[in-house]
Amino acid sequence: MFLIWTLLFLKVVKLSVGLSPSSLVPTSGPPLLNVPVYSLSTVGADGLATMNILTYCTPVGTDPTTGERRWAIALFKESLSYAHFTQKGANGGKGVLQLLRSQHSPLVRLLGGSSGRQVDKLTESARLGFPWLSMDTLESDIPAPGPLPMLLPGCEHYLELRQEGGLLDAGSHVLALCVVDKQLVEEGGNQQIELMAHSQSEPPLLMTAALRGQGLITEAGRVAQRWEDDDC
């Protein structure tokens, strides 16, 4: 009797789902995911700071003994961010991962559609109303063996990352496993941050679906128009 009821249940499930091998068809591309948008802030040995736009990024685990959190990030091989992250010295394998909010969308073309080698992102970001802040804006006792990364104002969260182990080749990108050394948020009372606070009518986090809807990125996840193409 149990076997009969089991077979009947499976038949009902199959009918309700409507899935069969013949109903599966290939697609021309991957699913369009809606994920948070980040910016990784890095600095070179010469003190030159840069930021990018990062969507290949996710938490992957927590050490059960130490409680250390680990994240995986993928960096475009031709970017200045990649060069900074893979450099030798005090700042190699380090960066600050910034979780962006909706009001940061005007920065997507600048940070993701240009190279810090050709464009002064610090100056252009300030021109757009987002002046970069020094690292001690959030915490003044951070040890500084070398130049510190800069920060965008008004981010939802800041994660200090440190590379753990080697890099994994992922084609156009490299994958890095990172330990989160610090998790930081801005305290209230910063007038500059308060002026840039998002309105109650918009979602707080910047998401890829919103960027696709605004025409800022393509379905392939690339910036739709490079910063250098702007006539203004």
Side-chain angles (χ1 to χ4, degrees):
M1 181 63 69
F2 175 78
L3 179 59
I4 294 175
W5 279 110
T6 301
L7 292 175
L8 287 174
F9 173 76
L10 292 176
K11 184 176 182 180
V12 170
V13 170
K14 181 178 179 181
L15 290 174
S16 63
V17 174
L19 182 65
S20 66
S22 61
S23 67
L24 298 175
V25 294
T27 65
S28 58
L32 291 178
L33 303 178
N34 187 25
V35 299
V37 180
Y38 301 83
S39 176
L40 183 70
S41 176
T42 57
V43 61
D46 57 359
L48 176 63
T50 193
M51 298 184 191
N52 65 359
I53 290 294
L54 198 62
T55 57
Y56 294 158
C57 175
T58 184
V60 293
T62 304
D63 189 303
T65 303
T66 64
E68 288 181 329
R69 299 179 183 274
R70 284 168 173 76
W71 283 58
I73 62 173
L75 297 171
F76 184 50
K77 292 178 180 177
E78 298 180 13
S79 67
L80 183 59
S81 296
Y82 166 80
H84 284 175
F85 197 81
T86 56
Q87 69 186 333
K88 304 296 184 182
N91 291 308
K94 295 180 181 179
V96 178
L97 187 65
Q98 307 171 108
L99 178 56
L100 302 185
R101 288 176 173 160
S102 296
Q103 75 263 21
H104 293 113
S105 61
L107 292 171
V108 169
R109 285 187 56 218
L110 170 64
L111 301 184
S114 69
S115 170
R117 296 185 178 94
Q118 286 84 41
V119 176
D120 184 349
K121 293 187 178 184
L122 185 150
T123 299
E124 294 298 328
S125 183
R127 187 172 69 86
L128 292 172
F130 296 88
W132 293 3
L133 309 175
S134 61
M135 187 70 181
D136 59 12
T137 300
L138 292 184
E139 188 167 313
S140 60
D141 60 348
I142 296 176
L148 290 174
M150 302 293 284
L151 301 174
L152 280 175
C155 292
E156 186 76 13
H157 222 97
Y158 302 84
L159 303 177
E160 285 191 59
L161 301 183
R162 170 174 46 86
Q163 180 186 343
E164 182 177 64
L167 299 173
L168 179 64
D169 193 329
S172 59
H173 291 63
V174 294
L175 183 67
L177 179 65
C178 300
V179 174
V180 178
D181 281 335
K182 288 189 179 70
Q183 303 176 91
L184 306 169
V185 294
E186 291 172 323
E187 293 182 351
N190 186 327
Q191 184 179 7
Q192 185 175 33
I193 304 307
E194 289 179 350
L195 292 174
M196 302 182 66
H198 56 270
S199 68
Q200 297 298 319
S201 61
E202 64 180 358
L205 296 184
L206 186 59
M207 305 292 290
T208 52
L211 295 185
R212 287 194 296 268
Q214 297 172 42
L216 291 174
I217 64 172
T218 66
E219 291 188 355
R222 301 185 182 93
V223 173
Q225 183 182 14
R226 291 188 60 80
W227 178 259
E228 292 90 339
D229 298 334
D230 201 341
D231 294 329
C232 62

